[in-house]
């Protein structure tokens, strides 16, 4: 890794997508906190009339987190690190700059319209794929533009060997493209008739059990190629850059990458255990979920070992803390998932709050932490200013870490409690609890979860404020910082 | 070997594409036609029920309710017979859900009635004390989109051979001819309801969302 880049890189696109990451991150977490509070205090369902119920808001929370926050974060980091690892400035090609900007505006406007459409209940109902067909088309165009940009930049690169991060971003592009296309196949009813009914409505190309299989092949692997693959790509770049340490093992990177590519997609059917999907598919899903621990932990261990002999940095640099904690939560989440994919465990865990608990220790602890760390690392280099406040960053770190721990512990307890109560029988073999008993018992856990949401949201606002102050009043830097990010 | 690959983006991308395709091809494709078969003598949903299914989707009921009874005694005791693949053969999309904040609904038509749903949707905690489900009062005000439901029936008939009758055609004239049948179905449901807004809408030839939704819920057996 070279200390002083001879090249001047163009960060205009990275900056734009960074702003969107913060905007959509705030929105997703705000709505998430509201719906968490609604489960504890149902009166909160009536704040916005028809548009404010838990059921209408939940897809806005999930889709804004996935397609708003995370995808913006992927674009922002790509437009930053893509140039640097390929040793080429995007400004060297006018064409790439133009399609990059088209991609930005189309994505921004499309995402806002799609969010409004969900508020109005325009939904194809498949989880994390609720957008109706016109919005799906926008997503496809945005994605293709990004792919073109990536291929274009690779095409004019100076560094011939593709760095590990590029493998992951490339896989992210290809994987999401395949999954999104197949899962969203639908026929618009307006076009299939003489213009009858609502033009936005469509009907899925698959029915029943098949639709479920395609959906969870998608749903599980949208997590794979949105929440795992590009985030691993980020940490492979930002951790060595921030710590000044070389990646611990090339062979481990290789094994983890190709292992993840092959194994991840098989595990989708673990979302359908005990359903009407054929048994052998369910068993495949379970088995491959267990195997998935290997490549997942491979990457995480590779990251932790990269810090070997340099653990003092953990106390000296809060950004290292963010990234090490992110890797640790990644390990927790990728051992928890396979445990839930074991049939007997799944019989209790499925349909309960343990599942959102699992999702959130992964997303809040791993994805959001890593993206925030990336933005903290990029900000001084993009804006040529020192980070505004280290103290604020430290406070944010502990506040959000506590929030994540409260979130998943309360949901573990809630999920296992409810799962056990559903199946509890008395001495005569009759069910012991009516359904509502298993709901009212959850109130304290729902309250704790809502509180953790508030804490995490406050932490994110501190992050946004810190970045804003960095841009506007951080100390101006005369030359680009090497390794450790400068902070006041 | 890998260093060579890492310098060739085209082959690298091709390799990724091949490696990630296996799972879908092996897990989803072989069973596709078999998993699509309906139960013997199963009829597809009426237009009113389809409109109700679309209300179910619009208000996103599956955020909290499943439609998948697993083969455990604790589930069959609570909800009825466990679910069979063929029962879902006409469901586009599938509405199994992934979270049970409220109970499963796959056979709710067996043990809940129109008037129960009406009272419950207006004020859930009144019927089930301590319920955290919100009221869905707007379903009594909004009109159900029965024309879109008809378009959906025609679409699945033409594209997937779902057995709807010959009278289901792509034209507006065919829809105009079918419309009175939907209204008649709606009247039967509304006859068991008390809400004045519903009675007024039905008398004006309109179908409130709640009527379509209840028709759909009653069909879940």
């Amino acid at each position: 890794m070279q200390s002083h880049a001879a090249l001047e890189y163009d960060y205009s696109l990275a900056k734009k997508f960074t702003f969107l990451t913060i905007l959509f991150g705030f929105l997703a977490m705000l709505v998430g906190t509201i719906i968490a509070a609604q489960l504890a205090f149902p009166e909160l369902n009536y704040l916005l009339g028809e548009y404010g119920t838990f059921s209408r808001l939940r897809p806005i929370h999930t889709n804004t987190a996935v397609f708003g926050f995370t995808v913006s974060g992927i674009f922002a980091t790509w437009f930053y690190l893509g140039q640097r690892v390929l040793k080429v400035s995007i400004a060297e090609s006018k064409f790439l700059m133009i399609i990059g900007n088209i991609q930005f505006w189309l994505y921004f406007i499309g995402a806002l319209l799609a969010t409004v459409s969900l508020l109005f209940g325009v939904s194809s109902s498949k989880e994390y794929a609720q957008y109706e067909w016109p919005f799906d088309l926008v997503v496809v165009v945005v994605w293709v533009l990004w792919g073109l940009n990536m291929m274009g930049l690779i095409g004019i690169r100076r560094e011939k060997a593709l760095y590990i991060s590029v493998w992951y971003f490339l896989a992210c592009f290809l994987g999401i493209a395949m999954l999104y296309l197949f899962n969203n196949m639908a026929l618009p009813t307006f076009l299939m008739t003489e213009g009858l009914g609502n033009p936005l409505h469509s009907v899925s190309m698959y029915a029943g059990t098949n639709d479920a299989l395609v959906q969870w092949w998608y749903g599980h692997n949208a997590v794979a190629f949105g929440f795992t693959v590009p985030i691993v790509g980020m940490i492979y770049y930002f951790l060595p850059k921030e710590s000044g340490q070389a990646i611990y093992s090339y062979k481990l990177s290789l094994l983890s990458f190709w292992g993840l590519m092959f194994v991840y997609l098989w595990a989708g059917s673990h979302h359908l255990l005990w359903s009407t999907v054929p048994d052998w598919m369910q068993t495949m899903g379970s088995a491959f979920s267990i195997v998935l621990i290997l490549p997942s932990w491979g990457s995480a261990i590779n990251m932790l070992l990269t810090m070997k002999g340099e653990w003092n940095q953990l106390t000296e640099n809060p950004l290292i803390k963010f990234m090490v904690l992110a890797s640790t939560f990644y390990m927790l989440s990728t051992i928890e998932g396979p445990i839930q994919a074991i049939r007997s465990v799944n019989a209790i865990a499925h349909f309960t709050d343990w599942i959102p608990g699992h999702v959130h220790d992964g997303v809040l602890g791993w994805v959001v932490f890593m993206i925030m760390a990336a933005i903290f690392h990029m900000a001084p280099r993009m804006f040529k200013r020192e980070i505004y406040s280290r103290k604020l960053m430290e406070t944010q770190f502990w506040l959000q870490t506590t929030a994540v721990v409260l979130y998943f512990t309360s949901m573990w307890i809630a999920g296992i409690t409810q799962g056990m109560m559903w199946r509890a029988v008395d001495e005569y073999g009759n069910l012991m609890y009516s359904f509502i008993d298993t709901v009212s018992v959850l109130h304290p856990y729902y309250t704790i979860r809502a509180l953790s949401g508030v804490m995490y949201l406050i932490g994110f606002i501190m992050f946004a404020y810190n970045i804003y102050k960095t841009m506007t009043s951080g100390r101006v830097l005369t030359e680009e910082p090497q390794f450790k990010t400068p902070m006041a | 070997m890998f260093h060579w690959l890492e310098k060739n983006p085209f082959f690298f991308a091709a390799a990724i594409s091949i490696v990630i395709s296996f799972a879908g091809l092996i897990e989803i494709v072989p069973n596709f036609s078999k998993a699509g078969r309906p139960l013997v003598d199963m009829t597809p949903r009426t237009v009113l029920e389809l409109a109700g299914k679309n209300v179910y989707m619009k208000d996103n009921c599956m955020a909290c309710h499943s439609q998948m009874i697993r083969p455990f005694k604790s589930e069959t005791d609570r909800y009825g017979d466990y679910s069979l693949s063929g029962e879902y053969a006409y469901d586009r999309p599938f509405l199994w859900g992934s979270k049970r904040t409220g109970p499963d609904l796959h056979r709710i038509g067996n043990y809940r009635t129109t008037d129960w749903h009406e009272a419950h949707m207006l004020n859930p905690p009144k019927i089930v004390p301590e319920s955290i489900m919100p009221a869905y009062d707007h379903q009594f005000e909004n009109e159900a989109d029965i024309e879109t439901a008809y378009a959906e029936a025609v679409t699945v008939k033409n594209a997937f051979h779902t057995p709807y009758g010959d009278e289901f055609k792509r034209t507006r004239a065919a829809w105009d001819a079918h419309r009175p049948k939907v209204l008649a179905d709606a009247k039967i449901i509304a006859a068991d309801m008390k809400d004045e807004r519903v009675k007024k809408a039905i008398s004006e030839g309109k179908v409130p969302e709640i009527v379509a939704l209840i028709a759909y819920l009653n069909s879940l057996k």
Side-chain angles (χ1 to χ4, degrees):
Chain A
M1 261 164 237
Q2 288 162 354
S3 54
H4 290 278
L7 277 163
E8 208 35 61
Y9 299 108
D10 187 304
Y11 297 128
S12 56
L13 284 164
K15 284 180 199 167
K16 283 181 186 156
F17 280 111
T18 299
F19 300 145
L20 284 196
T21 312
I22 296 172
L23 173 72
F24 285 132
F26 173 73
L27 266 179
M29 289 170 206
L30 177 70
V31 178
T33 307
I34 293 172
I35 61 177
Q38 285 175 335
L39 289 175
F41 309 102
E43 305 76 28
L44 295 171
N45 276 286
Y46 307 116
L47 297 176
L48 275 176
E50 158 180 2
Y51 309 103
T53 57
F54 174 89
S55 55
R56 282 280 178 94
L57 293 181
R58 186 186 177 260
I60 295 183
H61 166 60
T62 53
N63 285 288
T64 310
V66 181
F67 297 106
F69 171 76
T70 309
V71 168
S72 297
I74 294 169
F75 290 160
T77 49
W78 168 257
F79 283 116
Y80 176 88
L81 69 81
Q83 304 182 67
R84 300 179 68 114
V85 295
L86 297 170
K87 294 273 174 284
V88 58
S89 169
I90 189 170
E92 289 174 45
S93 160
K94 239 194 192 122
F95 173 71
L96 294 184
M97 283 303 285
I98 292 170
I99 59 169
N101 277 298
I102 297 174
Q103 178 200 339
F104 172 80
W105 286 108
L106 199 60
Y107 168 75
F108 187 27
I109 296 165
L112 290 180
L113 289 178
T115 307
V116 173
S117 78
L118 291 179
L119 201 60
F120 282 90
V122 178
S123 162
S124 64
S125 291
K126 294 172 82 165
E127 278 187 79
Y128 325 119
Q130 278 101 341
Y131 297 150
E132 266 295 0
W133 67 275
F135 305 106
D136 286 339
L137 291 180
V138 176
V139 173
V140 170
V141 174
V142 167
W143 203 253
V144 168
L145 285 175
W146 182 50
L148 270 178
N149 213 317
M150 186 189 289
M151 307 295 178
L153 204 62
I154 291 174
I156 57 170
R157 73 195 188 280
R158 293 199 181 80
E159 171 59 60
K160 288 301 164 204
L162 302 179
Y163 180 63
I164 307 170
S165 296
V166 181
W167 312 352
Y168 279 99
F169 277 90
L170 203 56
C172 165
F173 167 71
L174 294 168
I176 297 277
M178 170 182 83
L179 294 160
Y180 201 87
L181 277 180
F182 280 106
N183 189 45
N184 284 290
M185 288 291 185
L187 299 173
T189 53
F190 183 79
L191 302 178
M192 294 293 288
T193 56
E194 258 184 8
L196 292 179
N198 186 345
L200 295 176
H201 188 69
S202 67
V203 54
S204 172
M205 293 270 272
Y206 321 106
T209 301
N210 284 329
D211 199 36
L213 255 176
V214 177
Q215 159 61 23
W216 285 110
W217 170 76
Y218 163 85
H220 180 71
N221 297 302
V223 174
F225 289 89
F227 283 165
T228 306
V229 167
I231 315 295
V232 175
M234 286 176 206
I235 201 165
Y236 265 112
Y237 176 82
F238 290 107
L239 187 67
K241 270 296 188 184
E242 184 67 30
S243 65
Q245 293 283 99
I247 292 293
Y248 173 71
S249 161
Y250 168 73
K251 279 185 188 160
L252 199 52
S253 321
L254 207 59
L255 177 85
S256 308
F257 178 78
W258 290 107
L260 202 70
M261 289 301 112
F262 182 71
V263 178
Y264 220 130
L265 288 111
W266 296 83
S269 52
H270 70 208
H271 289 257
L272 300 166
L273 296 182
W274 302 107
S275 76
T276 59
V277 165
D279 271 359
W280 68 268
M281 292 185 195
Q282 300 183 20
T283 308
M284 294 278 253
S286 281
F288 274 95
S289 301
I290 306 291
V291 182
L292 196 52
I293 298 173
L294 285 174
S296 309
W297 278 45
S299 298
I301 287 170
N302 209 3
M303 288 305 117
L304 295 181
L305 287 176
T306 294
M307 293 310 295
K308 204 168 98 174
E310 283 289 324
W311 285 103
N312 55 312
Q313 289 196 25
L314 207 59
T315 54
E316 292 155 10
N317 185 352
L319 274 193
I320 297 292
K321 223 152 50 180
F322 270 98
M323 288 193 252
V324 166
L325 194 80
S327 300
T328 315
F329 271 122
Y330 180 50
M331 291 178 84
L332 170 73
S333 200
T334 51
I335 190 84
E336 185 186 17
I339 290 172
Q340 292 180 330
I342 297 168
R343 268 174 185 262
S344 51
V345 179
N346 191 270
I348 296 175
H350 194 56
F351 292 134
T352 74
D353 284 297
W354 189 6
I355 309 298
H358 164 62
V359 174
H360 284 81
D361 54 51
V363 176
L364 298 178
W366 155 242
V367 179
V368 183
F369 266 48
M370 187 54 227
I371 290 178
M372 290 190 306
I375 290 176
F376 272 135
H377 176 93
M378 298 190 300
R381 286 140 179 111
M382 295 193 298
F383 302 112
K384 319 267 184 266
R385 281 169 188 272
E386 194 179 64
I387 291 286
Y388 173 69
S389 166
R390 173 185 169 143
K391 219 171 151 189
L392 200 59
M393 198 192 280
E394 291 272 5
T395 319
Q396 177 208 338
F397 174 84
W398 287 112
L399 186 66
Q400 291 191 314
T401 304
T402 315
V404 182
V405 173
L406 283 178
Y407 193 115
F408 70 74
T409 45
S410 62
M411 288 302 101
W412 283 354
I413 301 172
I416 293 171
T417 303
Q418 198 178 32
M420 297 302 280
M421 283 175 84
W422 283 342
R423 57 160 60 183
V425 287
D426 64 16
E427 54 190 311
Y428 305 108
N430 300 317
L431 293 172
M432 271 174 81
Y433 301 101
S434 68
F435 193 89
I436 192 66
D437 295 334
T438 74
V439 176
S440 27
V441 73
L442 302 179
H443 179 75
Y445 311 112
Y446 282 159
T447 310
I448 295 172
R449 192 247 305 257
L451 179 73
S452 80
V454 173
M455 288 164 66
Y456 201 90
L457 181 65
I458 293 173
F460 195 77
I461 294 170
M462 290 162 82
F463 160 72
Y465 178 75
N466 210 351
I467 296 294
Y468 170 75
K469 289 301 264 184
T470 300
M471 281 164 50
T472 51
S473 54
R475 192 173 61 82
V476 176
L477 298 169
T478 45
E479 66 176 74
E480 190 178 283
Q482 211 188 333
F483 307 126
K484 186 173 185 292
T485 296
M487 50 189 84
Chain B
M1 174 209 163
F2 282 99
H3 286 294
W4 166 83
L5 195 61
E6 284 150 26
K7 286 178 185 162
N8 286 275
F10 177 78
F11 289 109
F12 199 92
I16 292 175
S17 305
I18 293 167
V19 172
I20 64 177
S21 309
F22 276 105
L25 290 174
I26 295 176
E27 278 191 357
I28 300 176
V29 177
N31 210 54
F32 208 80
S33 61
K34 200 175 152 201
R37 269 184 228 158
L39 296 184
V40 177
D41 290 339
M42 207 171 80
T43 50
R45 298 187 197 290
T46 66
V47 171
L48 184 65
E49 289 162 4
L50 274 186
K53 181 216 71 170
N54 291 342
V55 175
Y56 191 93
M57 286 165 64
K58 181 181 171 195
D59 270 321
N60 197 27
C61 304
M62 58 278 181
C64 295
H65 294 281
S66 59
Q67 288 188 27
M68 167 54 67
I69 303 168
R70 296 177 293 174
F72 310 145
K73 186 169 181 297
S74 58
E75 301 229 338
T76 52
D77 280 2
R78 202 184 288 279
Y79 304 117
D81 292 346
Y82 59 80
S83 305
L84 302 173
S85 182
E87 295 179 86
Y88 301 107
Y90 299 137
D91 282 2
R92 291 171 192 270
F94 78 111
L95 296 169
W96 297 359
S98 60
K99 178 74 177 65
R100 272 184 198 153
T101 304
D104 188 276
L105 302 180
H106 195 209
R107 308 211 185 283
I108 190 152
N110 286 337
Y111 50 91
R112 294 285 186 252
T113 53
T114 301
D115 57 335
W116 188 92
H117 284 303
E118 181 186 20
H120 184 251
M121 294 301 279
L122 277 171
N123 190 2
K126 198 178 157 195
I127 308 301
V128 184
E130 295 186 63
S131 170
I132 59 172
M133 176 169 151
Y136 282 85
D137 192 63
H138 62 264
Q139 291 176 348
F140 291 75
E141 305 273 353
N142 296 351
E143 222 180 305
D145 192 349
I146 48 178
E147 186 176 314
T148 298
Y150 180 81
E152 185 176 326
V154 173
T155 304
V156 296
K157 174 180 177 252
N158 291 336
F160 311 112
H161 309 291
T162 308
Y164 283 101
D166 294 334
E167 70 275 22
F168 284 80
K169 296 197 183 77
R170 302 176 67 245
T171 61
R172 186 159 289 279
W175 161 235
D176 289 335
H178 189 81
R179 197 182 151 90
K181 196 179 170 313
V182 182
L183 295 178
D185 287 350
K187 250 183 201 154
I188 296 171
I189 299 286
D192 291 333
M193 297 174 72
K194 294 190 191 72
D195 193 272
E196 287 305 325
R197 292 170 292 179
V198 171
K199 289 191 186 306
K200 186 163 173 288
I202 291 286
S203 70
E204 288 165 1
K206 294 176 192 154
V207 181
E209 284 182 336
I210 186 70
V211 174
L213 181 70
I214 292 177
Y216 171 65
L217 292 174
N218 287 346
S219 78
L220 292 172
K221 288 182 174 174

